[in-house]
Amino acid sequence: MSKTFNAFLKNIKVKNPNEPEFIQAITEVAEDIIPFMEESCPEYIDSKVLERLSEPERVVSFRVCWVDDKGHVQINRGYRVQMNSLIGPYKGGLRFSPSVNLSVLKFLAFEQIFKNSLTGLPLGGGKGGADFDPRNKSDNEIMRFCQSFMTELSKHIGPNIDVPAGDIGVGEREIGFLFGQYKRIKNEFTGILTGKGQHFGGSLIRPEATGYGLLYFVEKMLYEKNLSLKGKTITVSGSGNVAQYAAIKAIHMGAKVITVSNSDGVLYDKDGFTIDKIHFIAKLKAKGSRDFKEYTKLYNSTFTAGKKPWIYPCDIALPCATENELDVSDAKFLIKSGCFCIAEGANMPCTADALKVIQKSSIAYAPGKAANAGGVAVSGLEMSQNRIGQCWSEEKVDNKLKHIMHQIHDTCIHYGKEESGKVNYLKGANIGGFIKVAEAMIAQGIV
Ligand code: NAP
């Protein structure tokens, strides 16, 4: 890599010590963007565009006190990283998980800049959350936590400032509690959050959007290779929102999904999941159970504790759980066993080293910032519906989602197709997402 790249990365590491995920995400982008700027737009280097994108516009950190069911006081730490508002209000999910820290949220917020730009919608980048573990908490505990969290967060967000959504540990129930508290504090009914319930401003297809969008993207990747999803074997990781709807859409499209997983291990169903089987998994998750053994008692399947789906041969791998869940040995196994497509439902699920191995292989690889953009895209559509006071039909939203995913795919092809004919989707997504925000930054001056 060039002197510019080395100097840039050195500075990032000095400025963000102890933030490995954030540095990983920036490095992944800089490896494509700096050579692109050196060759095509040196003025972006002079204007320090990438340095400015790498510095959050604002980071808010706050105490969240709440009382558990036993009457004990609990204290968590909440955050909102307002990364970039060049092309629209800050937009990105809230994550409730004990693994939440500033490094994780800054990486997610940074990725969100490029993802949101790729959707073509006017959305800036942000991310937030808390080191709160919603697992094994009662509904009342979740509600009290959400109310306390929103009491502080409400000072920093607004329909034209920052519009959060869900992420790991934050689903429709949590969004409902957060929305109710915002409305109580501000005495106004505005589209301040997306992913809301459908009776109070939520968009149809928003729960399904990330998983469905992932499959619309994969469909296009296969089409590029004159292939289709019909009859393909797919391994999925995770069993939450993204994993469930990715599996459902894959099954609808004629593929055979053979795994789901959670933080305890992997569930393998060699006959393939059906829609009913996925609904069973969804019900388990909704009642707060992570015990896949309940599934193995009913269906011919095996649960392997402590393992990930990447021990089973497949045609297509869809990591849909969390960051850095697919490492070098997993990547090598997938390549050796004939996998020809990896598309990320989760954000940054491949480690940096795994990514290098995958990129050297013939596997078609789609990064999360492109392949999982369907969720934020429909969040953007929810914001539009809220602004004009309408509720669009399922068919209309689904068609718009499909169109956006296909457009993102075409952007990746435009900027990522190499002379050999191979498509570097990561490079395509990085450059395609970058150009729009870079242009906006130059136009808006040094602010
Ligand atoms: P979710 O509904 O909370 O589900 C997360 C799933 O991942 C659960 O099955 C969870 O298992 C599993 N998981 C979490 N940590 C794990 C670990 N260390 N090892 C193995 N499995 C683990 O969250 P989600 O909304 O589906 O989000 C999943 C991923 O997609 C995240 O990377 C998120 O940032 C990304 N994403 C989500 C959206 C969206 O619209 N929701 C949009 C774009 C990207 P346990 O139940 O055992 O914890």
Side-chain angles (χ1 to χ4, degrees):
M1 280 288 163
S2 68
K3 259 167 73 178
T4 308
F5 176 86
N6 291 334
F8 167 78
L9 207 60
K10 191 173 164 203
N11 185 37
I12 290 291
K13 286 179 180 168
V14 169
K15 275 188 146 181
N16 304 281
N18 309 315
E19 295 188 357
E21 292 87 0
F22 184 46
I23 290 166
Q24 183 183 341
I26 291 187
T27 307
E28 228 171 68
V29 167
E31 280 171 354
D32 287 323
I33 294 301
I34 292 182
F36 166 74
M37 290 193 294
E38 286 174 328
E39 200 181 309
S40 308
C41 332
E43 67 277 16
Y44 291 167
I45 296 181
D46 297 339
S47 303
K48 300 209 166 148
V49 170
L50 197 52
E51 283 87 340
R52 286 153 73 188
L53 288 178
S54 307
E55 190 63 35
E57 288 178 12
R58 190 174 301 106
V59 177
V60 188
S61 166
F62 50 94
R63 189 183 64 188
V64 187
C65 294
W66 57 285
V67 180
D68 68 20
D69 285 347
K70 292 186 182 125
H72 296 149
V73 175
Q74 301 288 342
I75 300 147
N76 286 99
R77 187 172 293 169
Y79 303 92
R80 187 70 184 164
V81 178
Q82 297 182 329
M83 198 75 195
N84 196 283
S85 61
L86 278 165
I87 60 170
Y90 308 107
K91 182 88 195 97
L94 296 171
R95 179 177 289 192
F96 291 168
S97 160
S99 64
V100 161
N101 58 44
L102 208 48
S103 173
V104 167
L105 295 181
K106 280 168 73 178
F107 116 65
L108 289 164
F110 181 74
E111 287 282 287
Q112 203 80 44
I113 302 175
F114 299 87
K115 185 188 302 191
N116 294 2
S117 165
L118 281 167
T119 65
L121 300 172
L123 305 168
K127 202 85 187 185
D131 60 351
F132 167 76
D133 191 350
R135 292 176 300 189
N136 306 316
K137 301 285 190 303
S138 70
D139 280 358
N140 279 332
E141 288 177 318
I142 301 276
M143 183 177 71
R144 286 195 291 274
F145 176 81
C146 287
Q147 290 176 342
S148 182
F149 181 86
M150 182 50 91
T151 301
E152 182 59 31
L153 186 69
S154 63
K155 297 170 190 163
H156 310 285
I157 60 176
N160 296 312
I161 302 170
D162 185 349
V163 184
D167 191 75
I168 290 179
V170 180
E172 200 174 315
R173 173 184 57 170
E174 291 75 15
I175 293 288
F177 293 147
L178 292 163
F179 183 78
Q181 182 71 351
Y182 182 88
K183 191 162 62 65
R184 172 161 72 171
I185 292 169
K186 299 278 185 176
N187 193 29
E188 63 180 34
F189 194 110
T190 43
I192 181 56
L193 291 155
T194 57
K196 299 183 289 298
Q198 277 158 20
H199 302 303
F200 54 98
S203 176
L204 291 165
I205 302 289
R206 176 60 188 90
E208 296 89 344
T210 310
Y212 280 17
L214 175 65
L215 268 295
Y216 295 147
F217 195 93
V218 170
E219 188 183 32
K220 278 283 255 179
M221 291 173 85
L222 297 202
Y223 186 74
E224 260 314 286
K225 290 173 169 277
N226 292 319
L227 295 169
S228 84
L229 274 153
K230 218 169 178 52
K232 302 295 179 298
T233 300
I234 300 187
T235 48
V236 171
S237 68
S239 49
N241 172 273
V242 180
Q244 287 169 24
Y245 287 109
I248 286 172
K249 188 50 90 176
I251 296 164
H252 276 308
M253 288 173 153
K256 182 177 174 187
V257 177
I258 56 166
T259 64
V260 292
S261 70
N262 63 20
S263 40
D264 291 343
V266 57
L267 179 64
Y268 170 63
D269 186 325
K270 76 172 172 32
D271 300 326
F273 290 94
T274 58
I275 303 292
D276 283 348
K277 289 174 175 180
I278 296 293
H279 285 158
F280 182 86
I281 299 283
K283 275 191 197 139
L284 271 185
K285 177 117 171 72
K287 69 174 187 186
S289 168
R290 306 219 305 288
D291 190 1
F292 283 143
K293 295 214 184 86
E294 289 191 41
Y295 182 96
T296 58
K297 282 182 208 153
L298 269 183
Y299 302 106
N300 184 16
S301 57
T302 50
F303 171 71
T304 311
K307 293 285 179 196
K308 299 180 278 186
W310 330 124
I311 54 171
Y312 297 106
C314 66
D315 298 313
I316 299 164
L318 303 177
C320 296
T322 193
E323 59 272 7
N324 292 327
E325 53 158 315
L326 196 158
D327 62 22
V328 171
S329 60
D330 301 326
K332 285 184 177 162
F333 174 82
L334 288 173
I335 293 164
K336 206 170 129 198
S337 58
C339 170
F340 57 78
C341 174
I342 299 176
E344 297 180 342
N347 287 309
M348 208 168 74
C350 298
T351 65
D353 289 341
L355 205 51
K356 290 209 163 67
V357 172
I358 293 165
Q359 289 286 64
K360 272 192 203 139
S361 76
S362 60
I363 285 184
Y365 159 79
K369 71 192 83 178
N372 72 33
V376 76
V378 174
S379 276
L381 300 180
E382 184 170 323
M383 287 164 72
S384 303
Q385 292 170 74
N386 291 167
R387 282 192 180 116
I388 57 175
Q390 284 190 4
C391 180
W392 296 339
S393 71
E394 196 171 316
E395 193 190 1
K396 180 167 176 168
V397 179
D398 198 26
N399 281 338
K400 281 182 182 287
L401 168 65
K402 205 176 289 176
H403 178 71
I404 290 171
M405 295 313 295
H406 288 177
Q407 257 188 346
I408 296 175
H409 180 271
D410 293 348
T411 302
C412 292
I413 299 270
H414 182 75
Y415 293 107
K417 197 158 195 166
E418 292 169 348
E419 272 172 24
S420 64
K422 190 181 169 186
V423 182
N424 184 339
Y425 283 92
L426 179 59
K427 181 177 169 188
N430 281 336
I431 297 176
F434 173 76
I435 288 177
K436 196 166 136 189
V437 284
E439 286 296 314
M441 183 178 278
I442 302 292
Q444 291 174 29
I446 314 285
V447 290

